[in-house]
Amino acid sequence: MKIAVLVKEVPDAAVQKRIDPSTGRLDRSGEKNLNPYDTHAIEAAMQIKEGGAVTVDEIVAVTMGPESAVRALHKAVSLGADRSVHLSDQALAGSDVAATGYALAQVLRRESPDLVLLGQQSDDGECYTIGAVVAEYLGQPSLTQVIKLDIAGDELTCERQAEYGYDTVKVKLPAVISVGDAINEPRYPSLKAIMGAKKKPLETVSTGDAEIDASKVGVDGSHVSCGDFKAPPSKSAGLIIEDEDTDDTVQKIIAWLDERKLLA
Amino acid sequence: MSNILVYALHYEGAFNKNSLGAVAEASRLAGELGGEAHAVMVGESISGDLAGQLGGYGAAKVFTAEGPEGLAGPVIDTMGKLFDGGDYQYAVFGGGLLGFEIGAGLAARINAGVTMEVTGVNVVDGKLVAERPILGDSSISTSRYKDKGIIIARLNAFEVKQNGGGAATVEAIATELSPQAQQANIVTRGEQRGADVDIEGASILIAGGRGLGKAEGFELCDDLAKAFGNNAAVAATRAVVDAGWYPYAAQIGQTGKTVSPKLYLAAGISGAIQHKVGMQSSENIVAINKDANAPIFEFSDLGIVGDLNKILPKLTEAVKARKG
Ligand SMILES: Cc1cc2nc3c(=O)[nH]c(=O)nc-3n(C[C@H](O)[C@H](O)[C@H](O)COP(=O)(O)OP(=O)(O)OC[C@H]3O[C@@H](n4cnc5c(N)ncnc54)[C@H](O)[C@@H]3O)c2cc1C
Ligand SMILES: Nc1ncnc2c1ncn2[C@@H]1O[C@H](COP(=O)(O)O)[C@@H](O)[C@H]1O
């Protein structure tokens, strides 16, 4: 079988994320990295491949993003993907969640994987939903936030936490699954894998290549527009104590609690 | 067209609190648009009495469809068909998990714009406009829809309000499951992992996260809670519940409990939004985290930058000494 993993390039966790007032979009300058949540999806694919319950012929990493996003693909390949596909086209800039999902679904159609895996959320977009959109466009079942994934033949047994506790769901392949970060502990890439990543096949795909209807993507093809960015109501900053002498710190905490009658 | 469709999640004969909030909010908005709020329920043998109760929260009509519970597919099929009728422009979902999956899938099916984590909705020029905090709550963005719009709320964003209205009209409708909806089948639902602990009754909560390092790390939280006395309990994040370190019943957040104790003290918790939404109305928030940049410090009243393994044992002794 073939597994596709959707990965995204996001601002590094240490970068202060902000909206560029001139474009109304996320300021993408500064350090970038593979979305940390996506490393769990790659690891899940690797564990299926190594698990032996099914034969995995290929793991393909797929991303939609600007030129710089190839680095996220290199990282994905160093973590185990066999090759990668980069959907990159000016026409896609400003796509909303549904348009992004549509474009990714079109790229996936060319690959027709048996299983599509995603991370639980992107560090910058925080929508938790690209998987559900991709699945709808592909006409496949989907489940998000999966923390246990077993495969037997063409059926997955998935566990995830929802509103009322843990659910177990059987899903028939082909399917689209987003995995929660508790599903596994991603491995570190070996130096050899990092060095070799740039040599693995990387295909760059345009909207035309993927038969993406240009009227359905980008700013014009999106059904929702975001703007009028404003600061949230400010909350008075709390007191911060750096713990240098723990006895002293604890005394300060006790005094603070006392003042609020929380030790009565 | 000015009607709003709203999904009402129910489980074991009761409505989800966030769904009731969504019904109330949809009813308010539909009123301003000059239309009605209609609710959708999907499940096994839904009682007409239960469905009718949504009238008290503002639903003028409730559609019930027979179908498997706990999965997005059957609800997308049901709501998609209702949208095809042309009477609706918007759909509203309460915070949680299923609403995210349904709302996003529905947006793709009916070509709508979708916004998640919505904290406020207004009517501007006869259209709905939604506000959503972004980038770790550092900014608020406003969504406008070209045509159809889907609004998925942040947990607890909409107040549950009864409007004193009577029972809603209930209409049973048939749903034909799409091929993809038939490819997912729920085996067990709502499994309660771990002990049935109570965190909602406590006025002091000592909450532990992944920073505790291992399941045994929770002993540090247990000891501190004991030192505070009978009104204190221990709570947890999803990360540690998923890992099996602490019971699900003690989880705070988007798919756990919402609490507002007098004191919430976090040890080794980063302060992810999905956790924050379940505890941000606590009266006093204290956080211990070794990372000075942890998001939890953004909404703490007292933040301690340091190692919980050093601080918690001494704090426990000091609280014990004070309590005598
Ligand atoms: C749809 C959805 C629903 C979700 N629902 C929930 C929910 O209901 N509840 C919930 O909690 N989460 C929920 N989450 C998960 C949430 O996004 C976070 O992943 C989770 O809250 C993180 O838990 P944590 O703070 O324990 O772990 P981490 O984010 O890993 O944080 C651990 C923290 O411990 C600190 N630390 C480490 N060692 C020490 C030490 N020795 N001393 C002091 N500090 C230390 C670290 O600096 C770090 O900040 C949900 C996510 C999604 C996508
Ligand atoms: N532009 C993109 N290209 C490829 N995958 C993406 C993209 N955006 C989001 N994803 C995938 O969707 C998951 C959820 O992202 P989100 O819905 O934005 O929170 C991520 O963890 C990725 O696996």
Side-chain angles (χ1 to χ4, degrees), chain B residues 110-127:
Chain B
I110 65 169
N111 288 319
V114 57
T115 314
M116 50 290 299
E117 292 280 310
V118 169
T119 51
V121 190
N122 295 301
V123 176
V124 178
D125 299 332
K127 289 182 169 185

Side-chain angles (χ1 to χ4, degrees), chain A residues 114-115 135-136 138-143 149-150 152-158 168-177, chain B residues 68 70-74 77 109 176-187:
Chain A
D114 303 277
L115 174 62
E136 176 60 29
L138 291 175
Q140 292 177 8
S142 84
L143 211 61
L149 186 62
D150 290 312
D154 68 345
E155 192 171 66
L156 302 171
T157 302
C158 307
T168 301
V169 184
K170 285 196 188 291
V171 181
K172 276 266 183 339
L173 296 176
V176 180
I177 303 290
Chain B
L71 292 168
D77 292 340
R109 181 155 316 172
E176 213 177 298
L177 290 188
S178 58
Q180 64 264 37
Q182 295 175 41
Q183 303 297 307
N185 290 289
I186 201 148
V187 184

